[in-house]
């Protein structure tokens, strides 16, 4: 299956028409620095799936954005600064409290 940096590299090496939608929750498998991986794979990425989580076994635990281990803000800043052409899809995995909205929640978390 595709899920590690090496498996993405092997897949895109098969054809220039192969594109990817990496999931940030698996970033540890991309290599020691997810920003390096994203720069390398940028020409092949169509969308990037972002959400926050904490490491766990057998699966990571989803947490509200800004409370986990994923480098969401640095990735978004890199995408903007370097004018990367793929889309970031930010997934909120928790229910919002009454009166909250998505953008305000992201700003409060320091993501935007």
């Amino acid at each position: 299956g595709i899920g590690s940096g090496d498996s993405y590299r092997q897949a895109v090496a098969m054809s220039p028409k192969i594109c990817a939608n990496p999931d940030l929750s698996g970033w540890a498998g991309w290599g020691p620095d997810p920003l390096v991986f994203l720069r390398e794979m940028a020409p092949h990425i169509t969308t990037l799936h972002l959400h926050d989580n904490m490491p766990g076994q057998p699966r990571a635990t989803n947490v509200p954005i800004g409370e986990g281990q994923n480098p969401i803000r640095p990735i978004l800043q890199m995408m903007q600064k370097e004018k990367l052409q793929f889309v970031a899809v930010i997934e909120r995995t928790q229910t919002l409290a009454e009166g909250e909205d998505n953008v305000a929640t992201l700003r409060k978390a320091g993501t935007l």
Side-chain angles (χ1 to χ4, degrees):
I2 296 178
S4 68
D6 287 340
S7 63
Y8 277 104
R9 288 178 191 95
Q10 290 171 1
V12 300
M14 288 190 277
S15 170
K17 295 181 181 183
I18 293 180
C19 294
N21 173 20
D23 185 337
L24 180 61
S25 67
W27 75 268
W30 299 349
D33 185 345
L35 300 179
V36 170
F37 172 80
L38 292 173
R39 280 186 191 104
E40 174 190 347
M41 296 301 294
H44 303 283
I45 296 174
T46 55
T47 54
L48 175 64
H49 182 166
L50 300 169
H51 64 274
D52 219 347
N53 61 26
M54 294 298 287
Q57 295 298 326
R59 272 179 77 89
T61 303
N62 290 336
V63 297
I65 290 176
E67 295 181 16
Q69 54 123 18
N70 293 336
I72 296 170
R73 184 178 176 99
I75 287 172
L76 294 173
Q77 289 172 329
M78 177 191 73
M79 289 174 65
Q80 183 179 34
K81 181 180 177 187
E82 298 180 18
K83 297 178 176 37
L84 298 179
Q85 296 298 305
F86 53 85
V87 175
V89 178
I90 301 173
E91 177 185 6
R92 177 180 39 82
T93 57
Q94 274 68 37
T95 302
L96 290 175
E98 189 165 331
E100 288 185 319
D101 67 60
N102 287 317
V103 174
T105 301
L106 292 171
R107 285 192 174 118
K108 180 180 165 186
T111 303
L112 297 180

